[in-house]
Amino acid sequence: MTATTSDEGAAVPVTIRDVARASGVHISTVSRTFSAPHLVNPETRVRVLACAEDLGYRPNRAARALITGRTHNIGLIIADIANPFFPPLIKAAESQARHRDYHVFVADTNEDPTAEEELVHALAKQVDGVLLCSPRMSNSLIEQLSREVPLVVVNRQVTGLPCVLMDVGQGARSAIEHLVGLGHRSIALLGGPRSSWTNREMRRAAGAAARAGGAQLTVLGPNAPTEVGGSAVAEQVRRSGVSAVLAYNDLMAIGLIEGLDALGVRVPQEVSVVGVDDITLSRLTRPKLTTVATPTGAAGRTAVDMLLQQDIESPRGARGSGAGTALGVRRTTAQVMLQTDLVIRDSTGPGPYARPARPLAAPRGPDPHCPAGPGIPTAATGDAVAS
Amino acid sequence: MTATTSDEGAAVPVTIRDVARASGVHISTVSRTFSAPHLVNPETRVRVLACAEDLGYRPNRAARALITGRTHNIGLIIADIANPFFPPLIKAAESQARHRDYHVFVADTNEDPTAEEELVHALAKQVDGVLLCSPRMSNSLIEQLSREVPLVVVNRQVTGLPCVLMDVGQGARSAIEHLVGLGHRSIALLGGPRSSWTNREMRRAAGAAARAGGAQLTVLGPNAPTEVGGSAVAEQVRRSGVSAVLAYNDLMAIGLIEGLDALGVRVPQEVSVVGVDDITLSRLTRPKLTTVATPTGAAGRTAVDMLLQQDIESPRGARGSGAGTALGVRRTTAQVMLQTDLVIRDSTGPGPYARPARPLAAPRGPDPHCPAGPGIPTAATGDAVAS
DNA sequence: CGTGACGCTGCAAAGGTTTGCAATGAAGTA
DNA sequence: TACTTCATTGCAAACCTTTGCAGCGTCACG
């Protein structure tokens, strides 16, 4: 009869001390049995393990963290869990973390910069590092927070901090070239949140690509990066008279298509629409969405790797004179840029300046209006990855 | 010059002790300044707060948790974050928790019962309680785990534990009655995961309703509760010759519609499809999905409330002789059942035994085959909540 | 037989915070 | 004046674990 575990209800929390008492050894031996098994006699070890099992002992991770300075948790701060862009990233990060014996805690900020900051503070001491995904707060605040807890930023470039980026610039360029190749010369860009790095990148790249292709780009926004954000601008898109739209986001693209549909504007017959992300949903709506696929899974994995690598090379343990949770010297500050891919489906079609479908034996002569800038490398158009 | 906060890089973690030194009081006074302000002299308080602000002090929640036994965190274990059913629940839970000064940590299990168990253990000491959403593990295991950490179960009935349930039985009944009312007599039920409580409830209720309505119910499954799970059974649905399908889930319903489409079977002209959940997506696909709306937001809020209530009434603090983290005496064991609602959209239409569209002045006489069970309260059919 | 090495274990401090209790001093009451 | 009350603060134990150091016994080697 040691620490009685009453079988019904209310279990008394069993600590390392109970196990020590039960197995007749010192608590340090029990501790070592779990954290440094090779240091304890095999016989003792099995006895201790048996007692622990018997009592249902589980090490208190909070107490352990207090002294080691390592929680074996990582935090994942997400702008909006409801955006289907994120779950694949979350799952990839989780699986990668699990392989390294880490747990992931996800927190949602509702696109609110204040919530972001508060969450970083709240997580700081309970995790070994934080992945900041598509943050909405300022770069300077991010830098400041990075002094409190190791940070890896996803979808945002912050100098001096490790970042995982997706090449949406390249993606936007491909999309514009695709549209230009289809004969569109008047294109709208549906902007996302103002504080989004992705948004700025797309704008820059799309502008340049349009200029190079002899097309005119109208920027509409900023808008909420959701379906309603997209459907809300449908009227504006129609009035603007463009024949094609590149949306910040698949969700917005889908919302826009809905909105246009409600206005009696057909996609892609009257307006072509391209999204970004290639969320699962984009394959399920009609028309299926042409979109720029982003490597979300790879981003999650990479981000976790970078965070853990950074943790490992820094001093572990908060013992001694102090520099606590893995801060300090020489942090990896690598910035990784991942490729994106244009996936052509059914929401894009020939525009007003389109050349005839079959280059040879064309029924109608080539469109005289087409000023098709000479050297545009019109990326794969007809025969691409179409679903 | 007290604890120097080197401005570039590597900040030394500042503790309560630093603040005490800086403001010339004992650490206990600093502690009280934060956790029991009314106990300290206003003048002292402002001085301490100023120093704390100055040094950038933040209480170490892990250490605090170690002694109070309260982390002010709650864990949220989710079967599959990628299922759009969950985000609204997560967000509602988060917002409710935030109001009560709690943080929510979300973890995804990939529908894996083992991961579920492991996650509960990992979370146990780092949160004050766990919300188990649509768990896949056994009831007995859940009961056992509930001895380690306060638990609230969502979408599963476990006797002796607080549960938040959605009345999918009622939902399935309404759906079947709707279909029967439309003239369907041969209906399939697309089952979900075997270990799902919702699945069993639906099966039971749908079976009863079909019997009452004089229709025949074929159960197909179990299946993965995803689009691919749905599209995978399209062929089987076609072969079975049913004219209507009730799917476990909107995702499956949408997948099924896709799959049928690929086989050239049109919805709702040839087969009617009803989903469950009313995820945002169900309004965006064509045809728009008829579905049983579940109150996910309410479920999230209620679950958090029940958990916190349970925490509050139990002994706080792990001081004294012990019953530690909020276990014990008289836990609330309420089981809440939330209403569901049938939302009729475009994926359901008249079946083979349909009565003519206009009851009066019918062009064709009433179908002689229709054995329409006398007293079926065919819930709102034509003029319902249609989008 | 003495010495050193080694394997195993115990001791105690440390990590950052909370909190019951006691001490201090001032104000109020009799 | 003596005694009580009250507000404020300090003291130190406690939470659970890890870990450097030292002690002990055993064994091998010289």
Side-chain angles (χ1 to χ4, degrees):
Chain A
M1 289 299 136
T2 53
T4 55
T5 48
S6 64
D7 222 22
E8 90 284 284
V12 179
V14 27
T15 77
I16 205 176
R17 223 168 300 269
D18 301 319
V19 180
R21 201 161 22 235
S23 46
V25 298
H26 194 262
I27 57 164
S28 52
T29 302
V30 178
S31 171
R32 278 188 272 257
T33 303
F34 288 95
S35 50
H38 60 279
L39 288 181
V40 5
N41 186 320
E43 288 179 35
T44 322
R45 193 191 314 161
V46 303
R47 188 154 39 95
V48 169
L49 285 176
C51 288
E53 170 76 24
D54 217 41
L55 270 54
Y57 167 73
R58 302 198 158 271
N60 182 326
R61 303 182 64 145
R64 172 182 293 183
L66 188 57
I67 178 163
T68 62
R70 306 219 116 338
T71 62
H72 269 236
N73 296 142
I74 85 182
L76 190 45
I77 296 186
I78 299 277
D80 179 13
I81 278 196
N83 184 336
F85 167 78
F86 288 109
L89 191 154
I90 298 174
K91 282 174 178 281
E94 267 170 348
S95 120
Q96 190 79 352
R98 188 169 351 241
H99 287 147
R100 304 216 184 308
D101 195 27
Y102 270 72
H103 284 282
V104 171
F105 294 155
V106 184
D108 174 307
T109 68
N110 270 311
E111 304 257 356
D112 174 5
T114 315
E116 269 175 3
E117 182 183 357
E118 195 198 335
L119 236 14
V120 173
H121 285 142
L123 281 169
K125 292 293 197 320
Q126 323 194 45
V127 301
D128 295 344
V130 171
L131 262 46
L132 216 49
C133 298
S134 306
R136 301 293 182 234
M137 55 181 152
S138 70
N139 270 16
S140 61
L141 185 51
I142 294 180
E143 273 177 90
Q144 185 184 322
L145 290 175
S146 80
R147 243 166 267 148
E148 194 168 334
V149 57
L151 242 45
V152 168
V153 188
V154 179
N155 273 343
R156 173 80 147 251
Q157 192 163 31
V158 183
T159 54
L161 285 187
C163 301
V164 177
L165 304 166
M166 318 210 192
D167 199 346
V168 286
Q170 167 60 35
R173 203 173 313 130
S174 303
I176 296 293
E177 286 168 359
H178 165 60
L179 292 172
V180 168
L182 282 171
H184 297 276
R185 292 294 177 276
S186 180
I187 305 177
L189 176 64
L190 244 60
R194 175 175 285 111
S195 50
S196 154
W197 174 85
T198 300
N199 191 43
R200 283 194 297 276
E201 283 301 293
M202 282 182 60
R203 209 156 146 168
R204 202 180 43 67
R211 226 170 299 125
Q216 177 155 16
L217 189 78
T218 315
V219 178
L220 267 35
N223 309 284
T226 61
E227 306 105 357
V228 319
S231 64
V233 287
E235 173 61 31
Q236 206 179 340
V237 164
R238 190 182 58 166
R239 270 209 313 272
S240 73
V242 300
S243 66
V245 179
L246 170 59
Y248 170 74
N249 177 321
D250 281 354
L251 244 30
M252 289 184 65
I254 289 166
L256 173 65
I257 293 176
E258 274 298 300
L260 289 175
D261 188 67
L263 295 175
V265 179
R266 293 180 315 155
V267 174
Q269 291 83 351
E270 298 172 66
V271 172
S272 286
V273 175
V274 181
V276 174
D277 285 352
D278 194 21
I279 61 180
T280 318
L281 175 47
S282 62
R283 238 161 305 162
L284 294 172
T285 51
R286 315 260 171 88
K288 296 175 182 169
L289 196 63
T290 293
T291 185
V292 176
T294 50
T296 47
R301 278 188 297 277
T302 310
V304 168
D305 279 348
M306 288 171 68
L307 186 62
L308 262 32
Q309 176 192 341
Q310 170 176 333
D311 270 12
I312 283 164
E313 79 179 45
S314 54
R316 59 187 236 288
R319 208 61 187 292
S321 65
T325 330
L327 288 168
V329 270
R330 181 174 297 300
R331 320 204 347 203
T332 35
T333 179
Q335 313 224 28
V336 176
M337 177 76 87
L338 302 171
Q339 295 302 317
T340 58
D341 273 307
L342 181 65
V343 180
I344 296 172
R345 298 207 182 89
D346 310 333
S347 67
T348 48
Y353 297 86
R355 272 165 292 179
R358 300 264 153 60
L360 304 181
R364 302 165 293 165
D367 191 322
H369 292 104
C370 179
I376 322 158
T378 23
T381 52
D383 53 350
V385 199
S387 79
Chain B
M1 289 296 139
T2 51
T4 55
T5 48
S6 65
D7 221 23
E8 90 284 283
V12 180
V14 29
T15 79
I16 204 176
R17 223 168 299 267
D18 300 319
V19 180
R21 200 160 21 232
S23 48
V25 298
H26 194 263
I27 58 164
S28 54
T29 302
V30 178
S31 172
R32 276 186 275 257
T33 303
F34 288 96
S35 50
H38 61 278
L39 287 182
V40 5
N41 186 320
E43 290 178 34
T44 323
R45 195 192 313 162
V46 302
R47 188 156 40 95
V48 170
L49 285 177
C51 288
E53 170 74 23
D54 217 41
L55 272 54
Y57 167 73
R58 304 201 156 267
N60 182 327
R61 305 182 62 145
R64 172 181 293 181
L66 188 57
I67 178 161
T68 61
R70 306 220 113 342
T71 63
H72 269 235
N73 296 142
I74 83 181
L76 188 46
I77 296 185
I78 300 278
D80 179 13
I81 278 195
N83 185 337
F85 167 78
F86 289 110
L89 191 154
I90 297 175
K91 281 175 179 282
E94 267 170 350
S95 117
Q96 190 79 352
R98 191 173 343 245
H99 287 148
R100 303 217 186 309
D101 195 28
Y102 270 72
H103 283 282
V104 170
F105 293 155
V106 184
D108 174 306
T109 68
N110 270 310
E111 304 259 354
D112 173 5
T114 315
E116 270 175 4
E117 181 183 359
E118 195 199 335
L119 237 14
V120 173
H121 285 143
L123 282 169
K125 293 293 197 320
Q126 324 194 44
V127 300
D128 295 344
V130 170
L131 263 46
L132 217 47
C133 298
S134 306
R136 301 294 183 235
M137 56 181 152
S138 71
N139 270 16
S140 60
L141 185 50
I142 294 179
E143 274 177 90
Q144 185 185 321
L145 290 176
S146 80
R147 242 166 269 148
E148 193 168 335
V149 57
L151 242 43
V152 169
V153 189
V154 179
N155 273 345
R156 173 81 147 249
Q157 192 163 31
V158 183
T159 54
L161 284 188
C163 300
V164 177
L165 304 167
M166 319 210 190
D167 199 347
V168 286
Q170 168 59 34
R173 203 174 313 126
S174 303
I176 296 291
E177 285 167 359
H178 165 60
L179 291 172
V180 168
L182 282 171
H184 296 276
R185 291 296 177 274
S186 179
I187 304 176
L189 174 65
L190 243 60
R194 176 176 284 114
S195 51
S196 154
W197 174 84
T198 300
N199 192 42
R200 284 194 295 277
E201 282 302 292
M202 282 183 59
R203 211 158 145 164
R204 202 181 41 67
R211 225 171 298 124
Q216 176 155 16
L217 189 78
T218 314
V219 178
L220 266 34
N223 310 286
T226 62
E227 307 106 358
V228 319
S231 64
V233 286
E235 173 61 32
Q236 205 179 341
V237 165
R238 188 182 60 166
R239 270 208 312 271
S240 73
V242 300
S243 67
V245 179
L246 170 58
Y248 170 74
N249 182 323
D250 281 354
L251 245 28
M252 288 183 64
I254 289 166
L256 174 65
I257 293 177
E258 272 299 299
L260 289 175
D261 188 67
L263 295 175
V265 179
R266 290 180 316 155
V267 175
Q269 290 83 351
E270 297 172 66
V271 172
S272 286
V273 175
V274 180
V276 175
D277 286 350
D278 193 22
I279 59 180
T280 317
L281 178 47
S282 63
R283 238 162 304 161
L284 295 173
T285 50
R286 315 261 170 84
K288 296 174 183 172
L289 197 63
T290 294
T291 185
V292 175
T294 49
T296 47
R301 278 188 298 276
T302 310
V304 167
D305 280 347
M306 289 172 68
L307 187 62
L308 261 32
Q309 178 192 341
Q310 170 176 333
D311 270 12
I312 282 162
E313 79 178 44
S314 56
R316 60 185 234 290
R319 208 61 188 289
S321 64
T325 330
L327 287 168
V329 270
R330 181 173 300 302
R331 325 218 327 216
T332 36
T333 178
Q335 314 223 18
V336 176
M337 177 77 86
L338 302 171
Q339 296 302 317
T340 59
D341 273 308
L342 181 64
V343 180
I344 296 173
R345 298 207 184 90
D346 310 332
S347 67
T348 48
Y353 298 86
R355 273 165 293 180
R358 303 261 153 61
L360 304 180
R364 300 165 295 167
D367 192 321
H369 293 106
C370 180
I376 322 159
T378 22
T381 51
D383 51 18
V385 198
S387 78

